[in-house]
Amino acid sequence: MKLHEYQAKQLLTQAGVPVLPGFLVDKKAPLPARLKKLGPAPWVLKAQVLTGGRGKAGGIKLVNTAPEAARELKSLLGKTLVTAQTGPAGLTVRKVYVEKAAKILREFYVGVTLNRKAAKPTLMVSAEGGVDIETLARVSPEKIRRVDIHPLRGLEPFQARELAFDLDIPSTHLNQTVKVLQAVVKLFLSMDASLVEVNPLGLVEWDGKPTLCALDAKIVMDDNALFRHTDWAEQADEADVTVQERDAKKAGISYIRLDGNIGCLVNGAGLAMATMDIIKLHGGEPANFLDVGGGANAQQVQEAFRILLADKNVRAVFVNIFGGIMKCDVIAQGILQAVQSFRHRIPPIIVRLAGNRVDEGQKLLKESGLDLMTADDLDEGARLAVQATRSSKP
Amino acid sequence: MSILIDKSTKVIVQGITGSAGTFHAKACRDYGTRIVGGVTPGKGGTNVEGIPVFNTVQAAVRSTGADASLIFVPAPFAADAILEAADARIPLIVCITEGIPVLDMVKVKHCLSTDSLLIGPNGPGLITPGECKVGIMPGPIHKPGRVGIVSRSGTLTYEAVGQLTARGIGQSTVVGIGGDPVQGLSFIDVLALFEDDPGTDAVLMMGEIGGTAEEEAAAFYRKKMTKPLFAFVAGRTAPPGRRMGHAGAIIDGGQGTADDKRRALESAGAHLIDSPSKMGETVEQFLKQDKNNRNRSHA
């Protein structure tokens, strides 16, 4: 689950990381009184959408007067932002964060994520703030300093000091840096985050003196840990996922839409990926990843069909089930119920069953009298599915 | 011969009174596994299908002498269950549970001593065909034999086993290491065990996108292994930045692509398998050729 910048800044503030004064607007409300509270212009209007690359897409505006702020707010709210990460559909701006602008002296990168190999959180810092860290990691990896974190003790002050000296932070701000880095790590651990990123962490001029503060922030929480953070789970903004992906999640199905035209319905994530791969090997394009789960029942199979057929590009469906715990005859019943429940015309369906009670399952399919193709193995299934897309009309 | 489990392994099931726990405790016992007890806090003194239930892992180990534990405890409590098994010094802990918070597993990994090996979580467990099943895989598709299998996936492993068995090729032990980003035994750990196992002649490994475990396996294979390794990597068609069902299956910042992993494995000398339908066939062809070569060298 991704948090908005304004939510991340709220958490950072609570953790002791300074942020610039700001407020959230979600409708075209009068601004002057609230702007006045922030202090004199300039101010920054920042679209709150769950994607990177907002600046380039016109989602961040620097304004110098209250009327200008009102004008920009009006144009931002309701606007669709298309960034490098959103895809062509873009995301609608429903909230704008208004922040006082400050003179930036230096910018740093600070991020905490999981080091899978070490099975520990890792803190990354760089003197090249404000850039895309993935690009930096590719182009000049030597500019990123990493340190693994003890999962129970967090970041030690000496570790933070070492990083501060590496970043060439003035010694007047050494203690503040230690405090900020420790707070960011603590937030990562306490929020069950998979990413906490302060990019940039700015050294800004505030009241005539330099100080560190979080200029932008991103927090991604581990979905598996949301049971410990129910207050945040309730505030989830799922604008960045499709209706089908949301429905699938509710039904315990993993669904990811892709660009091809062969719908896939598979049990198990590894087999689901392998099924997409074999479709491609046979010259076709998968329309989706779909893992119906290990213990799926007839109802879930039906829901899975509904979800993947909502994609109008789908011209054939490849059902690939290896029955372990799942019995193939139960799955076959689910398929038959699903097919019979659709009133409109549906694309050709190719079913490959294997494993537990496969003969019973295949018998049910064959005796149903429904227009289904069955395949004995992965190759045949993929081949039939690709063939079907070539003969079926959209 | 086999690795990790055999017919002498004594298993307890943590979370035995839950529906999955009960179902699989029975299925494992039916396969021939010595299921000696179960643990559910507060249900001590009762029994499930004749299997005695204990309140704590300590008590279960004291009375049964169990040396393996199979865990079906729900995700919010699963890390605690693993630590409880480790505290009772159970040498082999197999966790099936899906959806454990990553930071819980980070803490578990940190606290786990070398006395306990952990398999999983979020995997099917492991099986030594014909002897012992500590997991949720369908027993009958397996066949005793000399090919070791290690995989990050469940049903894809069944697919591979099915293809081997259909060709009359049996398996020494089949290990599912699980699909989470932080897990117990890695590919390397299991490959090392297979390399040392006199009952294993060749190893089939199924990797997938995300992380660098396959690249590490490739480096290990190059330096430390003499037995042939066959490898399939799932997710060549997976888009970047999306989690493909498994929490660990994600291409992140351009890292962890199937093609990178395939290149690493191939350049290390592993036999790369392109299509998931050719796993059995590839192993079969190699074994036949290998046999011919040996016969010729003996002639």
Side-chain angles (χ1 to χ4, degrees), chain A residues 43-261:
Chain A
W43 308 290
V44 192
L45 272 57
K46 304 171 93 175
Q48 299 297 291
V49 283
L50 295 172
T51 175
R54 289 176 301 170
K56 277 186 194 142
I60 296 177
K61 303 282 179 191
L62 184 71
V63 295
N64 288 298
T65 66
E68 197 188 348
R71 224 172 25 247
E72 291 294 354
L73 178 69
K74 204 176 153 192
S75 81
L76 271 179
L77 281 172
K79 179 178 173 173
T80 301
L81 275 193
V82 179
T83 77
Q85 296 170 22
T86 58
L91 285 170
T92 308
V93 181
R94 300 192 191 283
K95 290 171 181 159
V96 171
Y97 191 60
V98 185
E99 201 172 54
K100 179 157 168 47
K103 188 181 172 198
I104 299 169
L105 307 170
R106 285 183 67 190
E107 292 182 314
F108 307 98
Y109 172 90
V110 174
V112 189
T113 180
L114 176 73
N115 176 349
R116 285 171 67 154
K117 196 173 168 186
K120 280 178 183 163
T122 188
L123 172 65
M124 297 181 289
V125 299
S126 174
E128 310 255 319
V131 300
D132 172 38
I133 192 71
E134 286 168 10
T135 313
L136 188 65
R138 209 166 39 241
V139 181
S140 10
E142 75 285 352
K143 288 186 176 156
I144 304 172
R145 272 275 283 140
R146 294 163 203 263
V147 55
D148 284 341
I149 293 156
H150 191 290
L152 306 175
R153 295 169 58 99
L155 187 73
E156 306 290 350
F158 79 88
Q159 292 178 302
R161 283 198 304 275
E162 284 176 5
L163 295 175
F165 285 119
D166 278 349
L167 291 177
D168 201 20
I169 285 176
S171 56
T172 46
H173 287 77
L174 185 62
N175 287 342
Q176 198 191 12
T177 309
V178 171
K179 209 179 130 201
V180 164
L181 294 181
Q182 282 190 304
V184 170
V185 169
K186 208 166 157 186
L187 193 58
F188 178 90
L189 294 171
S190 68
M191 287 301 287
D192 277 295
S194 47
L195 175 74
V196 175
E197 199 174 61
V198 180
N199 186 24
L201 172 72
L203 185 63
V204 302
E205 206 171 278
W206 190 252
D207 281 343
K209 279 181 293 195
T211 185
L212 286 172
C213 88
L215 295 178
D216 194 4
K218 190 171 163 185
I219 294 180
V220 183
M221 292 172 69
D222 177 1
D223 287 342
N224 286 339
L226 288 180
F227 68 89
R228 282 199 280 253
H229 308 276
T230 45
D231 46 337
W232 285 100
E234 280 164 19
Q235 296 180 48
D237 176 350
E238 294 185 320
D240 60 330
V241 294
T242 65
V243 179
Q244 282 80 30
E245 284 169 2
R246 231 172 299 167
D247 286 353
K249 209 168 165 184
K250 260 186 234 149
I253 296 166
S254 294
Y255 170 83
I256 293 167
R257 185 162 171 177
L258 304 167
D259 297 330
N261 57 12

Side-chain angles (χ1 to χ4, degrees), chain A residues 297-307 334 337-338 341-342:
Chain A
N297 51 35
Q299 234 169 359
Q300 266 167 304
V301 171
Q302 203 165 335
E303 179 69 0
F305 264 110
R306 197 184 64 73
I307 288 164
Q337 276 168 26
S341 73
F342 287 105

Side-chain angles (χ1 to χ4, degrees), chain B:
Chain B
M1 286 294 285
S2 57
I3 63 168
L4 298 164
I5 54 170
D6 57 30
K7 51 181 173 290
S8 70
T9 307
K10 286 194 274 187
V11 183
I12 57 164
V13 175
Q14 287 175 256
I16 193 167
T17 53
S19 62
T22 302
F23 179 87
H24 289 291
K26 260 185 75 190
C28 288
R29 189 176 62 180
D30 291 347
Y31 191 76
T33 308
R34 298 173 67 184
I35 301 286
V36 294
V39 177
T40 297
K43 301 263 174 81
T46 62
N47 76 82
V48 169
E49 306 274 337
I51 303 163
V53 179
F54 301 87
N55 281 323
T56 65
V57 177
Q58 288 278 6
V61 170
R62 250 197 325 268
S63 321
T64 65
D67 48 18
S69 178
L70 178 58
I71 298 178
F72 289 99
V73 172
F77 320 107
D80 184 49
I82 297 171
L83 290 176
E84 186 182 355
D87 187 63
R89 299 195 177 271
I90 292 200
L92 182 69
I93 304 165
V94 182
C95 185
I96 304 300
T97 309
E98 178 177 3
I100 302 178
V102 174
L103 286 180
D104 283 9
M105 282 312 300
V106 165
K107 284 173 192 148
V108 165
K109 277 284 264 195
H110 181 79
C111 298
L112 217 55
S113 78
T114 48
D115 296 339
S116 296
L117 297 179
L118 172 67
I119 310 258
N122 191 16
L126 73 167
I127 181 169
T128 293
E131 294 195 29
C132 181
K133 168 172 119 105
V134 186
I136 61 171
M137 63 289 284
I141 63 170
H142 297 79
K143 174 184 159 74
R146 304 185 59 85
V147 174
I149 298 184
V150 57
S151 169
R152 276 167 74 182
S153 149
T155 47
L156 181 59
T157 316
Y158 311 163
E159 177 73 42
V161 169
Q163 289 178 21
L164 287 178
T165 299
R167 288 171 167 77
I169 303 168
Q171 306 91 40
S172 53
T173 301
V174 180
V175 185
I177 59 173
D180 274 3
V182 175
Q183 62 203 169
L185 293 197
S186 66
F187 277 130
I188 296 187
D189 299 318
V190 180
L191 290 179
L193 292 170
F194 278 134
E195 174 69 14
D196 290 341
D197 173 34
T200 300
D201 292 339
V203 184
L204 172 58
M205 145 180 170
M206 272 143 290
E208 62 189 33
I209 56 162
T212 53
E214 290 78 5
E215 285 87 336
E216 288 146 34
F220 177 84
Y221 178 69
R222 187 200 295 271
K223 283 190 216 131
K224 303 267 172 76
M225 269 183 89
T226 56
K227 295 177 182 176
L229 176 68
F230 301 88
F232 172 75
V233 181
R236 284 176 89 182
T237 48
R242 304 297 307 264
R243 241 169 253 287
M244 306 302 280
H246 284 157
I250 179 166
I251 299 168
D252 216 350
Q255 303 260 302
T257 66
D259 285 334
D260 283 349
K261 293 167 186 299
R262 284 164 49 85
R263 261 194 298 277
L265 285 159
E266 190 163 39
S267 71
H271 303 266
L272 210 55
I273 302 171
D274 283 331
S275 165
S277 68
K278 300 276 186 281
M279 296 184 287
E281 198 181 307
T282 310
V283 175
E284 183 184 38
Q285 275 170 5
F286 176 87
L287 292 179
K288 265 188 196 156
Q289 211 167 17
D290 193 46
K291 204 174 160 190
N292 288 344
N293 290 346
R294 267 175 225 222
N295 288 345
R296 228 170 290 147
S297 67
H298 286 296

